[in-house]
Amino acid sequence: MAQGGTVGTSLGSGVLEGVSRLLEPVDAELARRYPGEPSTRQPVHTVYVPADTVTPGTVREWGKSALALLDAHAPDAASLARVLGMDEALAGPVHTRIQDKLRREPVEDLRIDFEDGYGVRPDDEEDAAAVRAAALIAGTFAEGAPGPAPACAGIRMKCMEAAVRDRGIRTLDLFLTGLMEAGGLPGGLVLTLPKVTYPEQVTAMARLCAEFEQARGLAPGRIGFEIQIETTQSILGADGRATVARLIDAAEGRATSLHYGTFDYSASCGVSAAYQAMDHPAADHAKAVMQVAAAGTGVRLSDGSTNVLPTGGQEQVHDAWRLHHSLVRRSLSRAYYQGWDMHPGHLPTRYAAVYAFYREGMRRAGERLAAYVAQTGGAVMDEPATARALSGYLLRGLDCGALDAAEVTAVSGLDRSGLDRLAGR
């Protein structure tokens, strides 16, 4: 016992310095691999449109078609509540916000597709389509562009397999070059690399991005890309090792998100067509592996899509809506905050599910955050990690239009900057 009754220590400063030296590489590796959640907005969905059918009016037309379907089959809050089994008090603000969203920003993320949705075309035809896609995307993000514009947009190129590799690289080059010639790469640009099987394919994509940056005088790391998880090899390698984390590492810091490909992945597992769905056990396994591999890396996740379309008579539309709504809600509860939509009729139920998810939990999340900040306790004792999750939840609700800043501040006592701070942004 040291003088004055205080407790001394036994380890000298040299020991602490030795431990610090030992762990310096680990500290650096943790900082490199696990930077945490990015501060940018994540779209709630991706809409992909084949490169031969997309036009400058595509987003506007999707919004108009979705509104017409909503007006025909759920024209008011009461009918929406009946179709989706939603509380009518919640359905009121949800229905109003869906209508506003479909007029203002019907598509949050547009992907012009040069892969499955486009197929194999003569080279001159795909060349022209790539140039046209660049002009369309440049116009979408141009200052004063008319009509509703997505927050994010880009292309899905062909994959890195030998049969289509050269074609995919040429389309990527034409598209990016066209954007540069039109004024530069827009901030909302997104590129999607499909059907990845080996990490080396991801590394090849990263090197292509680096070469383009060097050729056009762009800052290193300016171009990132999404990786689509559509093959069994992207989950489990031939050597029996989990592959997803290696794909992220192979991107050399350029991977922005992982997108699950419902139908290609299910088919590669041998799932028959009638059972290929986002909630199949094979899908759940793949997405659980993706989730753990991406956690903390700053690489986001996106679920896939359903191919059941809300077309035909009212009963058929309502059945398709109920299915889509339940699948989106299921994804949200499993922390997949983004998915793919294949038809304008999916937009009403995408936003119905997303808006209800954030609105029904807003008050409780805000109250828990207020108690956390005030350190007053309450029915739940939250830790910093939970406060980050609660803040992220409210921020996502604000970003997509489910929540208003004033009502979030009213229940939490926090403005946007306060939420950003607690979320670690």
Side-chain angles (χ1 to χ4, degrees):
M1 183 73 71
Q3 285 187 341
T6 59
V7 178
T9 60
S10 302
L11 299 177
S13 60
V15 175
L16 300 181
E17 292 169 1
V19 170
S20 294
R21 285 194 299 272
L22 175 68
L23 293 180
E24 276 178 3
V26 173
D27 295 339
E29 185 73 348
L30 282 170
R32 182 183 74 83
R33 287 183 180 271
Y34 302 102
E37 182 73 11
S39 60
T40 53
R41 171 185 175 183
Q42 180 179 13
V44 301
H45 70 169
T46 297
V47 163
Y48 76 94
V49 180
D52 59 332
T53 64
V54 69
T55 72
T58 291
V59 170
R60 181 175 60 254
E61 291 302 320
W62 271 60
K64 288 175 61 177
S65 297
L67 266 173
L69 205 62
L70 185 66
D71 289 343
H73 298 290
D76 52 37
S79 56
L80 184 71
R82 286 194 300 272
V83 173
L84 301 181
M86 187 183 297
D87 179 80
E88 196 164 331
L90 177 63
V94 167
H95 192 275
T96 299
R97 287 167 186 271
I98 293 171
Q99 291 177 311
D100 174 69
K101 184 73 168 181
L102 294 177
R103 295 186 183 100
R104 177 177 51 84
E105 190 188 46
V107 173
E108 290 198 358
D109 182 24
L110 174 68
R111 200 70 70 254
I112 300 174
D113 190 26
F114 285 89
E115 205 233 351
D116 284 348
Y118 183 73
V120 178
R121 308 291 182 93
D123 281 339
D124 59 346
E125 186 176 337
E126 184 159 339
D127 283 355
V131 172
R132 187 171 62 249
L136 190 151
I137 296 300
T140 294
F141 289 112
E143 186 175 350
C152 303
I155 65 168
R156 178 169 71 166
M157 59 188 283
K158 289 178 170 61
C159 70
M160 288 292 176
E161 292 176 357
V164 294
R165 181 188 305 141
D166 289 352
R167 178 64 259 182
I169 293 171
R170 179 171 173 80
T171 296
L172 175 68
D173 190 2
L174 285 167
F175 174 70
L176 293 177
T177 300
L179 288 176
M180 292 298 297
E181 296 298 321
L185 303 186
L189 175 66
V190 189
L191 306 173
T192 306
L193 178 66
K195 291 184 175 59
V196 173
T197 52
Y198 280 80
E200 289 82 358
Q201 294 168 329
V202 177
T203 299
M205 181 67 171
R207 301 293 166 81
L208 286 171
C209 293
E211 291 289 345
F212 188 89
E213 288 164 353
Q214 185 174 16
R216 301 298 305 215
L218 296 170
R222 168 64 182 85
I223 304 173
F225 57 91
E226 304 169 332
I227 301 169
Q228 275 203 283
I229 304 299
E230 302 179 273
T231 68
T232 55
Q233 295 92 339
S234 62
I235 295 296
L236 189 69
D239 57 3
R241 296 165 61 192
T243 317
V244 184
R246 296 164 63 194
L247 299 182
I248 294 173
D249 195 47
E252 299 176 352
R254 296 179 185 272
T256 57
S257 56
L258 304 174
H259 287 238
Y260 176 68
T262 305
F263 306 104
D264 281 284
Y265 186 84
S266 298
S268 72
C269 288
V271 179
S272 61
Y275 298 98
Q276 293 174 3
M278 293 158 60
D279 57 354
H280 191 279
D284 284 342
H285 170 258
K287 288 182 285 189
V289 175
M290 292 165 60
Q291 192 168 49
V292 174
T297 64
V299 176
R300 286 168 164 159
L301 301 171
S302 175
D303 209 332
S305 60
T306 176
N307 59 0
V308 179
L309 306 183
T311 59
Q314 187 166 85
E315 183 177 355
Q316 185 177 347
V317 170
H318 284 177
D319 285 345
W321 271 356
R322 279 188 283 267
L323 173 63
H324 185 240
H325 181 265
S326 69
L327 289 171
V328 175
R329 281 299 305 243
R330 186 178 189 270
S331 297
L332 291 168
S333 70
R334 286 159 170 75
Y336 270 74
Y337 301 115
Q338 184 176 353
W340 283 55
D341 290 325
M342 300 178 67
H343 187 272
H346 286 145
L347 301 186
T349 37
R350 169 68 60 183
Y351 293 122
V354 169
Y355 287 0
F357 177 75
Y358 291 115
R359 292 200 65 78
E360 66 192 13
M362 174 186 64
R363 178 166 296 280
R364 186 68 185 119
E367 290 172 347
R368 287 174 66 176
L369 272 178
Y372 174 82
V373 171
Q375 294 294 296
T376 57
V380 180
M381 184 173 292
D382 289 319
E383 296 185 352
T386 305
R388 285 196 297 273
L390 291 166
S391 300
Y393 170 86
L394 294 177
L395 287 166
R396 284 190 294 273
L398 288 168
D399 285 341
C400 70
L403 310 177
D404 293 332
E407 59 185 350
V408 169
T409 300
V411 296
S412 68
L414 296 165
D415 60 12
R416 177 85 194 211
S417 62
L419 291 171
D420 282 334
R421 185 172 59 256
L422 284 175
R425 296 185 175 185

